[in-house]
């Protein structure tokens, strides 16, 4: 049995090295899944060993300019672990996914105003991808027939923007887990694609998006 265990570990390590070889963009989706009743911090200890091995593979085999997006929760902590075990990757090239929260905030505003999501821009997600994040609409605008207008001016309900809107975005992940017994899937994948596209190609002039980083 020990020999089979050694062979399994060796094969997994070889797979990590092969997939990391010369990579320019790494999207880190592997991690212990968050389940109903769990906060993102609850999976932290389980992900340390996962991210240590993945970071080591990137450190040894990735391209020097490799860009890394950490998706698995807790994304900000996993990004920090990756930074510690892949020190040759520049800090500015290690990011974590807050674009999912950014997109959820855009969705809440578009639904409230009955407009297209693409007509809403420049919300900001401050903090971590967690229930302590702060979705900020103070600079957000909506495209109208009369030009771009501030979100607060159009919503005309600061009580909603300062309370229910924030809570809904903060707790959306938990609500999804409660409804489907699993964490976000397609929305997270779509947000990761958005993140990489805008990171590599840039955003339209006058538009910004949210990304988590490490310091």
């Amino acid at each position: 049995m020990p020999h089979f265990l050694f062979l399994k570990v060796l094969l997994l390590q070889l797979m990590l090295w092969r997939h990391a070889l010369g990579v320019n963009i790494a999207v880190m989706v592997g991690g212990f899944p968050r389940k109903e009743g769990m906060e993102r911090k609850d999976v932290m200890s389980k992900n340390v060993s996962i991210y240590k091995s993945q970071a080591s593979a990137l450190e040894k085999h990735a391209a020097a300019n490799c860009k890394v997006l950490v998706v698995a929760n807790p994304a900000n902590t996993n990004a920090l672990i990756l930074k510690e075990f892949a020190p040759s990757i520049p800090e500015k090239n290690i990011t974590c996914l807050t674009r999912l929260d950014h997109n959820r905030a855009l969705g809440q505003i578009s639904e409230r105003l009955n407009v297209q999501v693409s007509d809403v821009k420049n919300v900001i997600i401050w903090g971590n991808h967690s229930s302590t994040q702060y979705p900020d609409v103070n600079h957000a605008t909506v495209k109208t027939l009369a030009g771009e207008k501030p979100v607060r001016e159009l919503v005309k309900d600061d009580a909603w923007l300062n309370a229910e809107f924030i809570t809904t975005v903060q707790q959306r992940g938990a609500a999804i887990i409660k409804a489907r017994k699993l964490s976000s899937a397609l929305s997270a994948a779509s947000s990761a694609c958005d993140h990489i596209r805008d990171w590599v190609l840039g955003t339209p002039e006058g538009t910004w998006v949210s990304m988590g980083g490490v310091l």
Side-chain angles (χ1 to χ4, degrees):
M1 183 63 73
H3 296 293
F4 287 112
L5 181 60
F6 173 76
L7 179 60
K8 182 177 180 181
V9 171
L10 179 61
L11 287 173
L12 287 173
Q13 195 64 48
L14 288 172
M15 287 175 64
L16 279 174
W17 291 348
R18 185 186 69 184
H19 291 303
L21 187 62
V23 70
N24 296 106
I25 297 174
V27 181
M28 316 300 286
V29 297
F32 187 85
R34 180 182 169 204
K35 300 176 181 177
E36 187 173 2
M38 297 175 69
E39 284 290 334
R40 293 172 181 88
K41 64 183 179 181
D42 296 329
V43 300
M44 188 183 304
S45 61
K46 299 180 184 299
N47 282 331
V48 171
S49 60
I50 296 173
Y51 272 81
K52 181 178 178 180
S53 61
Q54 292 180 344
S56 298
L58 288 174
E59 172 70 12
K60 293 176 182 177
H61 302 289
N65 65 342
C66 179
K67 287 177 165 49
V68 183
L69 167 60
V70 177
V71 176
N73 288 313
N76 52 295
T77 304
N78 290 339
L80 183 61
I81 294 169
L82 192 142
K83 170 196 166 186
E84 292 301 314
F85 291 98
S88 70
I89 298 178
E91 289 183 356
K92 67 179 182 178
N93 283 16
I94 299 176
T95 62
C96 56
L97 190 69
T98 57
R99 184 60 177 269
L100 179 55
D101 309 297
H102 182 98
N103 288 351
R104 286 168 174 169
L106 295 177
Q108 288 294 310
I109 296 299
S110 70
E111 183 177 342
R112 184 78 174 188
L113 296 175
N114 195 27
V115 299
Q116 297 294 318
V117 174
S118 58
D119 290 336
V120 188
K121 69 177 186 178
N122 294 350
V123 300
I124 304 172
I125 302 298
W126 299 106
N128 300 326
H129 175 59
S130 71
S131 57
T132 62
Q133 67 178 266
Y134 179 72
D136 180 358
V137 299
N138 289 312
H139 304 282
T141 60
V142 178
K143 183 169 66 175
T144 72
L145 293 176
E148 292 186 354
K149 299 290 184 181
V151 163
R152 285 195 180 274
E153 179 182 320
L154 295 177
V155 171
K156 296 183 174 69
D157 190 346
D158 283 349
W160 180 79
L161 286 170
N162 295 336
E164 183 181 340
F165 163 75
I166 293 174
T167 303
T168 298
V169 176
Q170 289 174 335
Q171 299 295 334
R172 182 62 178 167
I176 290 172
I177 291 173
K178 184 175 181 179
R180 65 189 297 265
K181 308 305 178 187
L182 294 168
S183 57
S184 305
L186 183 58
S187 59
S190 177
S191 298
C193 291
D194 291 343
H195 178 116
I196 294 297
R197 180 198 63 224
D198 290 338
W199 194 8
V200 174
L201 301 179
T203 59
E205 185 175 355
T207 300
W208 59 73
V209 294
S210 301
M211 298 182 181
V214 294
L215 298 174

